[in-house]
Amino acid sequence: MIRFENDYAEGCIDEILEKLVATNYEQTAGYRVDDYCKSAAKKIQDYCNKDVDVHFLVGGTQANMTVLDAILRPHQGVISPVLGHINVHEVGAIEGRGHKVIALSNGDVKADEESKLLPETLESYLDDFFNPLDWHKVQPGAVYISHPTERGALYSKDELIKIKSICDKFEIPLFLDGARLAYALVSEENDITMEDLAKYTDIFYIGGTKCGALFGEAICFTNDKYNKDFHCITKHNGAVIAKGRIIGIQFDVLFTDNNYIEKARKSYPYAMRIKEAFKKKGIEFIVDSYTNQQFPILTNQQKDFIESQGISFNVEKKLDENRAALRFCTNWASSEESIKALEKAIGVM
């Protein structure tokens, strides 16, 4: 089976595995206060060109839930795009901590922007809520976006700056989910850097699980207004592992020799080859993605043929009785052989 259904099917980059083996019998302090976590945090700070406060957690849902639980007051919820991960793929984790996800739709926009939160949508909602204050409804206490989005869309630097400006206007923190951040950073269409994230968000996280690590996410607080007692809050939420150095080592390696970017770099041309192969067959897409996720629209017959070739994928959205939008992912571990096999299957389906 050749797997394209997600970008975390493999283990981790070789350098991480080698480092974990080499350090296996070292004795270190626990709970993320070891030298590897400190070294990784320093490298991330250098990369951001800012003294961000770095915390290492195990996974994306845990990171989203813990951050939002820390920064929201009991009567507050979090604004999210209607297709935001916290709204559609986290089984009510945020609501389970007592905070409503306020899902906003951009209305009549092109499909490529459906998974984004457009600045004008955000500003319109906040203006209506606070002028005058509607104190009968859940108060928006944070704004959540991801880069890239669930449908592989990218925010522009201009959009990010506008969203941050709106958040500042209403004194609401901006939290950016970077679970697939490496695949945004290597896209030729991307104009946002990690230094920009440190400048134009209040909190963001650097995804490891999908980007070359065995597991782990690095939460970065860029605004000290929101990280008060976060160590305690992570423990309260069960988000601290005793062997914290296991995550620290992984991020220390990812941010050595620019591994975080370089290991993900081939995912982009591979994804574009998949895109081109479907286009040559006259296949349309639910969105025009320029990241490692591609969403072609196939008939049931075409879908079944791809599966019969030993190739797996996700069904993103059923469109009617005979068609569905599928998802094919590339990642840091994608191989030339797997891409050729998919191209061949597409060519004869």
Side-chain angles (χ1 to χ4, degrees):
M1 178 68 71
I2 302 175
R3 296 189 176 277
F4 286 96
E5 73 262 35
N6 62 50
D7 36 22
Y8 43 90
E10 296 84 2
C12 63
I13 65 173
D14 293 343
E15 291 87 344
I16 286 177
L17 207 56
E18 292 164 2
K19 187 72 171 182
L20 288 171
V21 171
T23 61
N24 190 48
Y25 285 97
E26 286 187 18
Q27 293 183 322
T28 65
Y31 305 105
R32 306 179 309 197
V33 297
D34 60 275
D35 288 342
Y36 292 108
C37 286
K38 292 175 183 176
S39 174
K42 179 62 168 61
K43 289 176 181 179
I44 289 171
Q45 289 166 350
D46 291 344
Y47 209 96
C48 293
N49 195 29
K50 187 173 182 178
D51 189 23
V52 296
D53 181 28
V54 182
H55 298 258
F56 299 106
L57 273 66
V58 170
T61 297
Q62 184 192 63
N64 290 332
M65 180 187 74
T66 307
V67 167
L68 290 170
D69 189 46
I71 64 178
L72 293 173
R73 296 177 67 193
H75 61 289
Q76 293 179 328
V78 54
I79 293 173
S80 164
V82 70
L83 291 179
H85 198 273
I86 60 172
N87 190 46
V88 298
H89 283 149
E90 294 190 347
V91 201
I94 308 305
E95 288 90 343
R97 301 305 295 168
H99 302 290
K100 183 179 178 65
V101 176
I102 305 166
L104 299 187
S105 171
N106 296 309
D108 187 20
V109 300
K110 62 181 183 178
D112 295 355
E113 296 179 332
E114 187 180 12
S115 60
K116 295 167 70 172
L117 178 62
L118 299 182
E120 53 267 33
T121 300
L122 175 62
E123 188 163 32
S124 176
Y125 177 83
L126 292 174
D127 272 333
D128 287 345
F129 188 95
F130 287 108
N131 296 304
L133 171 66
D134 189 344
W135 52 273
H136 295 282
K137 295 181 180 178
V138 174
Q139 180 181 344
V143 172
Y144 166 96
I145 60 174
S146 60
H147 187 64
T149 71
E150 289 296 284
R151 291 276 174 84
L154 296 167
Y155 286 91
S156 68
K157 182 176 178 179
D158 181 61
E159 287 174 324
L160 181 64
I161 291 171
K162 286 179 179 177
I163 291 172
K164 182 63 168 70
S165 176
I166 294 165
C167 289
D168 289 346
K169 173 184 172 182
F170 290 93
E171 298 182 345
I172 291 176
L174 175 59
F175 173 41
L176 185 140
D177 175 334
R180 291 187 169 93
L181 181 58
Y183 304 119
L185 297 177
V186 299
S187 171
E188 292 182 5
E189 302 295 313
N190 175 65
D191 68 348
I192 292 175
T193 66
M194 211 173 294
E195 193 170 340
D196 292 329
L197 296 182
K199 186 175 182 180
Y200 299 114
T201 71
D202 295 288
I203 313 107
F204 73 96
Y205 76 85
I206 302 166
T209 303
K210 297 178 173 71
C211 303
L214 286 169
F215 59 87
E217 325 296 319
I219 296 172
C220 302
F221 285 87
T222 71
N223 187 336
D224 288 342
K225 181 178 179 180
Y226 301 108
N227 63 346
K228 181 176 172 57
D229 299 328
F230 193 69
H231 280 292
C232 298
I233 293 167
T234 56
K235 184 70 173 179
H236 176 74
N237 280 280
V240 179
I241 63 172
K243 296 181 181 180
R245 66 106 173 265
I246 301 300
I247 306 179
I249 286 171
Q250 294 183 79
F251 276 92
D252 193 49
V253 172
L254 286 174
F255 281 85
T256 298
D257 299 328
N258 205 29
N259 279 326
Y260 191 69
I261 301 298
E262 293 304 321
K263 297 297 183 180
R265 196 172 294 283
K266 65 181 177 181
S267 66
Y268 176 79
Y270 281 164
M272 294 306 102
R273 280 173 57 178
I274 293 172
K275 186 177 191 177
E276 185 59 27
F278 279 117
K279 280 187 171 182
K280 283 182 178 178
K281 292 290 290 187
I283 300 298
E284 295 182 344
F285 295 76
I286 195 170
V287 294
D288 188 20
S289 170
Y290 285 91
T291 64
N292 71 312
Q293 302 180 90
Q294 296 299 315
F295 301 90
I297 300 171
L298 269 61
T299 65
N300 292 341
Q301 183 178 3
Q302 291 168 328
K303 176 174 71 71
D304 291 345
F305 178 79
I306 295 290
E307 283 185 312
S308 74
Q309 303 304 296
I311 296 170
S312 66
F313 46 81
N314 265 358
V315 176
E316 174 71 11
K317 183 179 181 180
K318 187 175 180 179
L319 301 179
D320 54 43
E321 289 303 311
N322 188 48
R323 298 181 310 139
L326 310 182
R327 184 182 75 163
F328 292 80
C329 294
T330 59
N331 71 350
W332 61 272
S334 296
S335 67
E336 179 70 19
E337 293 73 23
S338 66
I339 300 301
K340 284 183 176 179
L342 179 54
E343 288 174 325
K344 181 179 178 181
I346 295 169
V348 297
M349 71 178 183

